[in-house]
Amino acid sequence: MKELALRALDLVARRGVTYADVRVIETRERDVSTKNGKAGHVSSSESMGLGIRVLAHGCWGFAATDDLTGAGVEAAAALALEIARSGTAAKKRDIELAPEERYEATWVSPIRIDPFSIPVDRNLAVLLAVDAELRRNPRINMAEASMHFERKRQLFASTPGSVIDQTRYLSGAGFSALCYQGDEIQKRSYPNSFGGQYQLKGYELVEELDLPAHAPRIAEETVALHSADQCPEGRFDLILDSSQLGLQIHESIGHPIELDRVLGSEANYAGMSFLTLDQLHHLRYGSEIVNVVCDARPEHGPGLGTFAFDDEGVPAQRNDIIRAGQFVGYMTSRETAPAVGAARSNGCMRADGWSRLPLIRMTNVSLLPGRQTLDEVFDVEHGIYMETNKSWSIDDKRYNFQFGCEIAWEIRRGKRVRMLKNPSYSGISTEFWNSCAAISGPEHWTLWGVPNCGKGQPEQVMGTGHGASPSRFRDIRVGTAYAG
Amino acid sequence: MRDKAAAERVFEQVQAAARALGVSEVEAMMASGNQALTRFAGNAISQNVAEQSTLLSVRPAIDGRTARASTNRLDADSIRDVVEQAVALTRLSEPDPELLPLASPAEYAAVRRHFEATARTTPEERALAVSEAIRVVEDAGQTAAGIYSTGDSTFALLNSRGVRAWYEESLARFSITAMAGDSSGWAKASACYHGDLDPPSLAHSAARKATQSTAPRELPAGRYTVILEPAAVLDLVGQMFGDFSATAIRDGRSFLNDRTGRKIFGDNITIWDDAVHPLQAGAPFDGEGVPRQGLTLVEKGVVRDIAYCRQAAAQAGAAATGHGFPLPNEYGEAPANIVIAGGDVPVAKMIAGTERGILVTRLWYIREVDPYEKIFTGMTRDGTFLVEGGRVIAGVRNFRFNQSLIEMLSSVEALSPPERASGEESFDMVAPAMKVSNFNFTEVTRF
């Protein structure tokens, strides 16, 4: 891979580029799923290719190919240069990059059990055991369970001389149960919706999740939702479980702090951000107990945003985003960092494969744990506790959001008193975070994986990490989704 | 895989490798593509990319078991490896008593959706079109962002029972957002032939919307008459077609669980699935090589046809409709070439006939709230206007909606002639604009 990357780099370096980098990527994936007692999706895939990014004539050009013959790589190199030259037809200024050191490094994400060493029939046996447990409840119409494993090795080489070899292992697993009855469909999932939990781990993640042990409760809750009361509409103190809070962080903090959005690069698709440059160091984003970091370092945990170097060769970093409620930082790239007066990128450029250009993406954007016990978080006279995301939507500047959850409970004097179905809540991002009244401690903190974050044109799907612990928010609008 | 002969040669190697492992039933999908996209923002080209890609995906069927392995390498060793992977996965998989033998050969409708000129569009040609569009927006004192993409792809599906399905397509897309100080406008189009796109005209449309919506008013949330332009219609209505699926109904996850044959929408709603419609794109066969049949999904408000993959059809004693996904999968099938019947009321006439309402250019971040009542939430975006006394009188701040599709499609007062439309939340389709009463806006955002 190194030889291939250096050969491709040499092809463009000799033709007068200001800067160039090459990423050669080899990916292996496995997906296994079951539905209603049968194997669902059993597949594996392998892919290898390279992407060449050049800065020439003051413009970017990028070309990717999986034709790794000499002729194929030469064609891609020539095309990248041609594309960069074409950009001069609509150029306002020459692209300039914040300086970065030269690195030579090798990094492999730590795993205990290589997921590809586990045979597929063993994967299926676990999933079918979960399936059987779920369908032991006769009112479950559909039981689904799945696992996903990935190994991605990337060789990055750049004209300043960096050569970085990184291998990341990723695992994911989860299940759901669905019950259709009368005029209603209800669903519950474990440990999270939309495929479960995803982390930068090996097969040990599947063992840690202990999927079969949770199946009876999930089936029971799915059925019980049909006879639960509808979540009321009104303003309540709201307690969120850590997985839902992880998605709340993703949508109402993670995306708004992407500096490319702020500067307009995503205006046509993903949108822009309410965090205009004048807000930096001035906006009170959250209450004083809210501290949020963007942390790609392995020390933060095995998140989907954990790596040693980003995809333009910048080392993983930890940056404060919200410090004691104050907005103090964006996620940046080498191109955008100067816009906020930074001397250097904070290392958030990521691409979803060899065929795509790196963009500013979330790494692990996490709410740091608080000091409250779980009992203190639940200590409200009258509130609502919601668990597990069901729907999520936010406007294109990231002000107004609405989330639905799979299940909720009414809380009175700190105790769950009744189950509620179809819960939802909504609000304005900064008002929501300023209403944060309690955050539970590190013993309840989980680093959740969002495996399907879309951004860019052509669209790229990226995995991001979000650490959170159950937290309470004051006076939140609840029940909007079924209002009117 | 630039031609059928190359696909056939690869398949011969796949079959030989499978036979060497004692496997006679095998299917292969092969795809290749060249896609390029010129992206602009801040009135300048910002990201400018191209990619060339290949796929070989192999699925054996062995004693009621099946699984899939894929690669993007087509040398002899890689082809043998991927077949070995697929066979090994299949042998370790669980048997499915309902798994059918591989599909049999069939005739496919002839469609011409590949244009060499579109496939060969150069970076310079895209850059010139983009710079012209930017100039239109700049001349209006606004800022432009958008994309112009061109490219082509081929897809082949072959199996050991003689299926030889081949499809090639070129596709071009242009979309643009024009931004003024406190407002924006958007326009988008797609076509198999890039010459059918008119970037300057789309730029004018986006700039006009941005100009018209400056200083947006804040209106209270509530029930409004809305005029949804075709992109807004397809992005919202497109969310329901995955439920027109025999497998979804069998699973109990479809809103049509007990509603097929029933009238659930208004008399003026008729929807087809038509893969050979002249404004459609996509292959005339499904993921197993079954020819796509035309479906009347909704006729005058009554749910008529649903899609059947081969397995769902065998279970129901029905005929496969050619809408199956590649096996193995959990989801079965879905219509993919939607044509919504229109009416004879152009948007201008809808506006002229509206005493008070909201004109919506585009919807955003649409997600399902309730799977049975088909309630969706989302936002308006990039051109939302107040209509009063038959005229567009001002831009308004964007709304959040929570709207049941069943209720919405029972409340359509007028439809425009349908057109090929393109959004961001659903696939392209042929759709009209709709004037809808009592559309449920539940919140207002800050811009």
Side-chain angles (χ1 to χ4, degrees):
Chain A
M1 286 175 80
K2 182 178 175 182
E3 187 188 334
L4 187 59
L6 293 177
R7 181 155 48 89
L9 194 63
D10 187 52
L11 285 168
V12 289
R14 287 189 275 115
R15 297 189 211 174
V17 297
T18 313
Y19 169 86
D21 57 37
V22 174
R23 288 174 303 114
V24 182
I25 297 177
E26 188 173 38
T27 305
R28 181 178 181 190
E29 294 180 320
R30 180 194 290 175
D31 285 286
V32 185
S33 71
T34 57
K35 188 179 94 176
N36 286 350
K38 297 200 298 188
H41 194 93
V42 178
S43 67
S44 70
S45 71
E46 293 184 354
S47 162
M48 186 171 178
L50 65 79
I52 305 172
R53 186 175 73 144
V54 302
L55 184 53
H57 313 285
C59 299
W60 285 117
F62 177 82
T65 184
D66 58 8
D67 179 354
L68 302 179
T69 62
V73 175
E74 268 187 44
L79 183 55
L81 291 163
E82 183 189 353
I83 287 172
R85 192 165 50 248
S86 76
T88 59
K91 181 173 84 167
K92 293 292 180 216
R93 60 178 180 85
D94 284 353
I95 303 286
E96 290 180 13
L97 301 179
E100 189 54 54
E101 297 295 313
R102 170 181 169 277
Y103 302 94
E104 289 191 40
T106 299
W107 183 75
V108 180
S109 68
I111 56 168
R112 200 159 50 76
I113 305 168
D114 182 347
F116 296 99
S117 70
I118 307 295
V120 160
D121 54 348
R122 203 170 129 195
N123 300 153
L124 280 169
V126 171
L127 298 178
L128 288 170
V130 171
D131 183 285
E133 275 301 330
L134 290 172
R135 291 187 307 121
R136 201 183 299 279
N137 188 321
R139 289 169 67 186
I140 296 301
N141 297 79
M142 185 169 74
E144 291 184 292
S146 63
M147 295 181 191
H148 172 80
F149 305 108
E150 192 176 308
R151 183 187 66 209
K152 186 183 283 187
R153 181 179 171 205
Q154 170 171 299
L155 195 297
F156 170 93
S158 66
T159 44
S162 284
V163 178
I164 300 164
D165 189 344
Q166 292 190 91
T167 301
R168 298 171 82 240
Y169 285 86
L170 180 157
S171 294
F175 66 83
S176 66
L178 179 143
C179 175
Y180 163 56
Q181 188 185 313
D183 55 0
E184 202 170 80
I185 297 169
Q186 292 291 347
K187 190 175 184 179
R188 282 291 285 137
S189 311
Y190 173 83
N192 199 359
S193 45
F194 308 107
Q197 169 66 310
Y198 293 78
Q199 288 189 324
L200 226 59
K201 285 186 175 176
Y203 194 76
E204 63 271 18
L205 175 71
V206 176
E207 297 181 345
E208 290 162 13
L209 293 173
D210 195 6
L211 300 174
H214 295 269
R217 172 180 63 85
I218 290 295
E220 189 182 317
E221 288 179 355
T222 310
V223 172
L225 279 167
H226 281 276
S227 46
D229 293 328
Q230 173 73 20
C231 181
E233 191 188 345
R235 299 194 78 91
F236 293 91
D237 284 352
L238 174 68
I239 300 156
L240 296 178
D241 80 315
S242 64
S243 68
Q244 171 56 31
L245 192 52
L247 192 60
Q248 175 81 49
I249 295 164
H250 178 98
E251 300 292 0
S252 65
I253 297 177
H255 279 303
I257 62 171
E258 295 162 344
L259 189 52
D260 57 346
R261 289 181 74 110
V262 175
L263 299 175
S265 297
E266 295 290 329
N268 182 242
Y269 180 60
M272 294 182 67
S273 171
F274 68 89
L275 289 174
T276 47
L277 296 179
D278 55 311
Q279 309 274 11
L280 187 62
H281 300 295
H282 297 290
L283 176 72
R284 175 146 288 281
Y285 206 134
S287 65
E288 287 214 343
I289 61 170
V290 174
N291 291 285
V292 174
V293 297
C294 172
D295 193 346
R297 302 168 313 150
E299 297 92 308
H300 190 70
L304 296 193
T306 299
F307 48 73
F309 292 84
D310 79 353
D311 290 344
E312 52 180 10
V314 177
Q317 297 167 46
R318 172 184 167 121
N319 291 283
D320 288 348
I321 300 299
I322 300 173
R323 193 186 304 132
Q326 200 73 19
F327 170 49
V328 295
Y330 291 103
M331 297 187 297
T332 68
S333 62
R334 293 186 64 192
E335 180 181 345
T336 59
V340 286
R344 177 188 187 214
S345 163
N346 58 24
C348 295
M349 286 288 270
R350 307 175 68 194
D352 75 354
W354 54 263
S355 63
R356 297 291 155 84
L357 191 74
L359 304 172
I360 293 180
R361 300 308 301 256
M362 284 171 241
T363 59
N364 302 306
V365 179
S366 297
L367 174 67
L368 296 183
R371 293 179 179 169
Q372 277 81 25
T373 65
L374 211 50
D375 282 347
E376 287 168 338
V377 169
F378 276 80
D379 185 20
V380 286
E381 185 62 30
H382 187 203
I384 293 179
Y385 167 61
M386 297 187 192
E387 204 172 275
T388 317
N389 182 261
K390 183 173 165 186
S391 68
W392 68 106
S393 175
I394 190 164
D395 72 43
D396 59 285
K397 289 187 180 169
R398 303 273 153 180
Y399 278 115
N400 176 282
F401 63 80
Q402 179 182 300
F403 290 96
C405 289
E406 289 184 349
I407 194 167
W409 284 269
E410 184 178 6
I411 306 295
R412 287 206 182 261
R413 292 177 188 164
K415 303 289 180 211
R416 297 183 189 197
V417 293
R418 60 171 176 152
M419 182 185 286
L420 300 169
K421 68 184 173 189
N422 305 326
S424 67
Y425 67 98
S426 55
I428 295 289
S429 295
T430 45
E431 291 175 2
F432 178 84
W433 287 106
N434 273 286
S435 75
C436 185
I439 302 172
S440 56
E443 65 275 26
H444 304 292
W445 193 85
T446 304
L447 186 48
W448 291 97
V450 171
N452 57 349
C453 176
K455 184 180 175 184
Q457 294 170 297
E459 187 174 66
Q460 300 190 37
V461 177
M462 183 59 69
T464 65
H466 306 287
S469 48
S471 303
R472 172 160 42 88
F473 299 83
R474 277 197 199 96
D475 194 29
I476 300 299
R477 189 173 176 195
V478 166
T480 338
Y482 284 80
Chain B
M1 229 74 53
R2 302 312 299 174
D3 56 56
K4 293 179 193 175
E8 192 70 58
R9 284 194 296 276
V10 171
F11 189 61
E12 282 169 13
Q13 295 180 70
V14 168
Q15 279 193 294
R19 275 195 299 269
L21 298 166
V23 175
S24 57
E25 293 271 291
V26 65
E27 171 198 278
M29 293 194 313
M30 292 168 232
S32 67
N34 281 287
Q35 309 293 337
L37 184 144
T38 301
R39 198 176 195 202
F40 52 102
N43 290 339
I45 289 174
S46 53
Q47 291 162 10
N48 209 347
V49 303
E51 66 183 77
Q52 173 274 325
S53 61
T54 311
L55 173 77
L56 167 63
S57 186
V58 176
R59 181 175 73 89
I62 309 168
D63 301 332
R65 295 172 164 87
T66 195
R68 179 175 294 282
S70 306
T71 181
N72 69 340
R73 284 180 268 189
L74 295 183
D75 58 275
D77 287 347
S78 297
I79 291 172
R80 196 172 52 246
D81 285 351
V82 77
V83 172
E84 286 175 2
Q85 275 275 342
V87 168
L89 282 177
T90 300
R91 287 186 168 141
L92 288 173
S93 189
E94 287 289 310
D96 176 0
E98 293 174 331
L99 183 70
L100 298 174
L102 298 176
S104 301
E107 292 291 318
Y108 306 114
V111 289
R112 183 175 177 239
R113 289 169 176 166
H114 186 273
F115 297 87
E116 202 58 30
T118 301
R120 291 175 183 271
T121 305
T122 65
E124 286 72 20
E125 288 169 315
R126 284 191 304 278
L128 287 174
V130 162
S131 61
E132 197 179 346
I134 287 173
R135 201 156 44 244
V136 168
V137 174
E138 254 184 332
D139 287 349
Q142 299 167 358
T143 305
I147 58 114
Y148 184 21
S149 69
T150 56
D152 71 337
S153 57
T154 65
F155 180 73
L157 194 150
L158 304 88
N159 77 24
S160 51
R161 294 196 171 225
V163 165
R164 296 292 182 271
W166 169 264
Y167 177 68
E168 58 184 343
E169 175 182 288
S170 55
L171 195 65
R173 296 180 190 278
F174 187 92
S175 74
I176 184 163
T177 303
M179 288 167 288
D182 56 6
S183 64
S184 57
W186 173 85
K188 182 178 181 183
S190 72
C192 290
Y193 175 55
H194 73 295
D196 291 340
L197 302 183
D198 186 350
S201 168
L202 293 166
H204 278 293
S205 176
R208 193 166 52 246
K209 282 176 181 286
T211 302
Q212 284 181 325
S213 57
T214 51
R217 299 182 187 179
E218 181 172 340
L219 296 183
R223 295 266 180 180
Y224 286 84
T225 292
V226 293
I227 298 166
L228 303 174
E229 294 196 357
V233 168
L234 81 88
D235 272 343
L236 186 50
V237 176
Q239 306 293 325
M240 73 177 182
F241 294 112
D243 287 21
F244 284 73
S245 147
T247 304
I249 292 172
R250 188 188 190 204
D251 291 342
R253 62 184 156 89
S254 170
F255 82 107
L256 302 177
N257 284 346
D258 57 349
R259 287 172 171 143
T260 51
R262 285 174 51 189
K263 185 169 188 300
I264 61 169
F265 304 134
D267 290 335
N268 54 359
I269 301 301
T270 294
I271 303 171
W272 302 278
D273 185 78
D274 183 2
V276 297
H277 189 284
L279 294 177
Q280 277 288 353
F285 52 87
D286 75 1
E288 287 190 82
V290 179
R292 290 196 188 281
Q293 308 295 314
L295 300 175
T296 300
L297 301 170
V298 179
E299 185 178 27
K300 295 180 178 173
V302 179
V303 177
R304 293 288 185 210
D305 298 339
I306 54 169
Y308 289 91
C309 66
R310 291 175 67 234
Q311 195 174 95
Q315 287 154 3
T321 61
H323 296 86
F325 301 127
L327 293 179
N329 75 80
E330 304 92 320
Y331 301 107
E333 61 282 297
N337 296 93
I338 301 298
V339 178
I340 303 176
D344 58 359
V345 187
V347 169
K349 205 169 163 186
M350 288 181 193
I351 293 168
T354 301
E355 192 47 43
R356 191 163 195 269
I358 303 295
L359 171 63
V360 177
T361 299
R362 175 188 188 191
L363 299 175
W364 165 250
Y365 225 129
I366 301 169
R367 291 293 183 274
E368 186 174 81
V369 166
D370 188 290
Y372 187 75
E373 296 305 329
K374 231 51 193 164
I375 299 171
F376 286 88
T377 191
M379 299 295 303
T380 65
R381 179 177 172 182
D382 297 325
T384 309
F385 302 93
L386 174 63
V387 176
E388 269 187 357
R391 290 187 309 118
V392 171
I393 62 160
V396 296
R397 285 192 176 181
N398 287 296
F399 287 106
R400 169 169 299 286
F401 62 87
N402 279 280
Q403 177 63 51
S404 157
L405 283 184
I406 298 172
E407 183 190 83
M408 173 185 144
L409 293 176
S410 301
S411 309
V412 176
E413 295 180 357
L415 300 109
S416 75
E419 60 187 63
R420 179 180 168 85
S422 190
E424 299 291 1
E425 301 274 319
S426 189
F427 47 89
D428 296 351
M429 59 183 75
V430 181
M434 289 183 180
K435 181 176 173 181
V436 180
S437 60
N438 288 312
F439 196 86
N440 189 26
F441 289 128
T442 51
E443 292 188 349
V444 187
T445 190
R446 296 283 172 86
F447 61 95

